[in-house]
Amino acid sequence: MTGAAVGDLQRIQIDSQAREWLRNVQRGDMKQEELEEFGRWMAVAAHAEAFAVSEWSGACIDALDHRPDPQWRRWKQEAMQRAVLGTPKVEALANWSDLVFSPTSRSRERASTGFLKAALALAATLAVVAVGLHWQQAATPNVLHYQADETTRAVLLPDGTRLTLDAGTAVDYVRLGDTRRLVLPAGRVYLNVTKDPRHSPFVVASGQVETVVLGTRFQVSQTAERTEVVLEEGKVLMQRSGSSLSTTLAPGQRGWWTVGASSFQTATANPSSTLAWTRGRLLFENVSLAEAIVDVNRYSRHVKIELAEPKLGELRVSGSYMAGDPELVVAAWEATMPVRAKHVGNRIQLMHK
């Protein structure tokens, strides 16, 4: 792969990470460990640039500003110092970030709201223009971005590959030379990869793992700590980016890589069970009630299930349920398990009968 192609790939991956962090920040409920991970990620000047270009919004600024943290300020200062030392083109970004994150009292902010908005708009424009000039020096590949909201989404890629994105999952697709690449920062995607007439490999980049295929059906799941692949048909190679570590999966197998591990792990899998979500079903086989609730809530737009008694989370659940209908799922649980439900606003609380 040429040096330019490597630069393009790195830029695509960083952009995908930036969009994922933006969504997390805008949620407004990031945990301390997530903030620490975000701080380490932002300590790289290129990451800070990408995050600024993605979209600095009022919600993002407000979410961070409401979590004053000396460690965060230290990370920010280090990132801005690196940015200024690395290239003068991002100096405007450093100035803008200093303005946004400067420790000001709530009363002072309210007194100067108009000035702050105007200053932010001007500084944001300068930052985006500066970064844009910097990145336009090299031709940017045509990156296609796809995102599923609160339900699954079917996607047809230009090469004929079909994707099913799980709720809340976003991916980027690009063709670099002879390679088709899909970048999955987090979430879950099912792929039916079409065989390319030119035998171009298809690579899914997720976390620290690249999954290489020529034509097959499989699923990739990505969390902060783990990459897992379940193979339904064909053959895939899972490899650790930048190393010789790899494993090859056959149909009916799953393989996974955990951050900090020294090797891949494999085991048998039941694809029809694992891929039930692509058919609008939730199939549980002896999983904890706490785990099942997480999956049911993923597809519920307006009503969320919660445990009024945490101990109930240890109960085991088996069965097939319709995704997106939490009331129906709870009704089935009430009929088959020692639980009863209570509606409180837009929540369903589960407690012992």
Side-chain angles (χ1 to χ4, degrees), residues 8-175:
D8 288 340
L9 174 58
Q10 291 175 340
R11 192 155 57 245
I12 294 166
Q13 291 174 329
I14 291 173
D15 286 348
S16 296
Q17 293 166 3
R19 280 190 289 269
E20 185 67 22
W21 277 121
L22 180 62
R23 285 191 291 272
N24 292 341
V25 170
Q26 288 180 329
R27 285 199 327 260
D29 60 350
M30 289 175 67
K31 298 178 180 178
Q32 183 61 32
E33 55 268 26
E34 291 179 295
L35 283 172
E36 292 176 0
E37 183 182 353
F38 180 46
R40 289 190 290 270
W41 185 83
M42 283 287 285
V44 179
H47 295 175
E49 292 183 36
F51 192 74
V53 171
S54 286
E55 181 186 355
W56 275 91
S57 69
C60 165
I61 295 170
D62 187 65
L64 289 174
D65 196 36
H66 275 76
R67 291 295 299 268
D69 186 334
Q71 195 172 29
W72 163 255
R73 286 197 292 271
R74 177 174 59 80
W75 278 324
K76 183 270 299 184
Q77 291 167 356
E78 291 176 359
M80 293 309 106
Q81 289 172 359
R82 293 184 188 184
V84 174
L85 292 175
T87 168
K89 290 184 173 61
V90 295
E91 188 169 356
L93 173 61
N95 294 336
W96 176 36
S97 184
D98 286 337
L99 174 61
V100 173
F101 292 104
S102 60
T104 56
S105 66
R106 291 286 126 196
S107 58
R108 181 179 173 186
E109 285 182 21
R110 286 192 293 269
S112 58
T113 300
F115 168 78
L116 179 59
K117 288 183 177 179
L120 283 175
L122 174 60
T125 302
L126 292 174
V128 172
V129 169
V131 176
L133 291 174
H134 174 63
W135 281 5
Q136 288 174 11
Q137 292 176 357
T140 302
N142 184 22
V143 181
L144 301 178
H145 180 72
Y146 304 96
Q147 182 172 340
D149 295 322
E150 296 175 327
T151 59
T152 59
R153 178 185 176 185
V155 172
L156 178 63
L157 296 181
D159 69 341
T161 293
R162 296 182 181 276
L163 310 178
T164 303
L165 305 182
D166 201 358
T169 298
V171 296
D172 290 313
Y173 173 79
V174 66
R175 190 158 197 148

Side-chain angles (χ1 to χ4, degrees), residues 72-321:
W72 163 255
R73 286 197 292 271
R74 177 174 59 80
W75 278 324
K76 183 270 299 184
Q77 291 167 356
E78 291 176 359
M80 293 309 106
Q81 289 172 359
R82 293 184 188 184
V84 174
L85 292 175
T87 168
K89 290 184 173 61
V90 295
E91 188 169 356
L93 173 61
N95 294 336
W96 176 36
S97 184
D98 286 337
L99 174 61
V100 173
F101 292 104
S102 60
T104 56
S105 66
R106 291 286 126 196
S107 58
R108 181 179 173 186
E109 285 182 21
R110 286 192 293 269
S112 58
T113 300
F115 168 78
L116 179 59
K117 288 183 177 179
L120 283 175
L122 174 60
T125 302
L126 292 174
V128 172
V129 169
V131 176
L133 291 174
H134 174 63
W135 281 5
Q136 288 174 11
Q137 292 176 357
T140 302
N142 184 22
V143 181
L144 301 178
H145 180 72
Y146 304 96
Q147 182 172 340
D149 295 322
E150 296 175 327
T151 59
T152 59
R153 178 185 176 185
V155 172
L156 178 63
L157 296 181
D159 69 341
T161 293
R162 296 182 181 276
L163 310 178
T164 303
L165 305 182
D166 201 358
T169 298
V171 296
D172 290 313
Y173 173 79
V174 66
R175 190 158 197 148
L176 291 173
D178 293 330
T179 301
R180 298 169 288 167
R181 299 189 69 91
L182 188 78
V183 181
L184 173 67
R188 181 165 60 179
V189 59
Y190 171 75
L191 303 93
N192 186 347
V193 178
T194 186
K195 292 184 178 180
D196 189 87
R198 293 172 290 178
H199 302 288
S200 299
F202 194 107
V203 179
V204 180
S206 51
Q208 300 175 334
V209 175
E210 290 187 340
T211 304
V212 185
V213 303
L214 289 176
T216 188
R217 297 202 299 267
F218 65 107
Q219 169 183 291
V220 182
S221 304
Q222 179 64 37
T223 65
E225 300 294 328
R226 177 185 172 105
T227 301
E228 180 177 290
V229 175
V230 176
L231 181 61
E232 182 181 25
E233 178 184 288
K235 186 178 180 180
V236 300
L237 171 69
M238 295 180 69
Q239 59 187 22
R240 173 76 162 81
S241 303
S243 79
S244 60
L245 296 174
S246 66
T247 189
T248 302
L249 300 183
Q253 279 192 314
R254 66 185 179 97
W256 65 94
W257 171 271
T258 304
V259 173
S262 58
S263 63
F264 285 91
Q265 301 292 313
T266 61
T268 57
N270 183 350
S272 63
S273 171
T274 306
L275 304 175
W277 64 272
T278 66
R279 302 184 295 274
R281 304 294 299 181
L282 296 173
L283 187 57
F284 302 126
E285 295 182 349
N286 195 33
V287 304
S288 71
L289 179 59
E291 293 176 274
I293 288 175
V294 171
D295 274 349
V296 173
N297 284 342
R298 180 181 295 118
Y299 303 98
S300 177
R301 296 189 179 190
H302 307 297
V303 178
K304 300 296 182 182
I305 305 171
E306 61 184 27
L307 292 172
E309 303 171 40
K311 189 69 175 177
L312 284 175
E314 299 176 7
L315 293 174
R316 310 306 293 182
V317 178
S318 295
S320 178
Y321 307 89

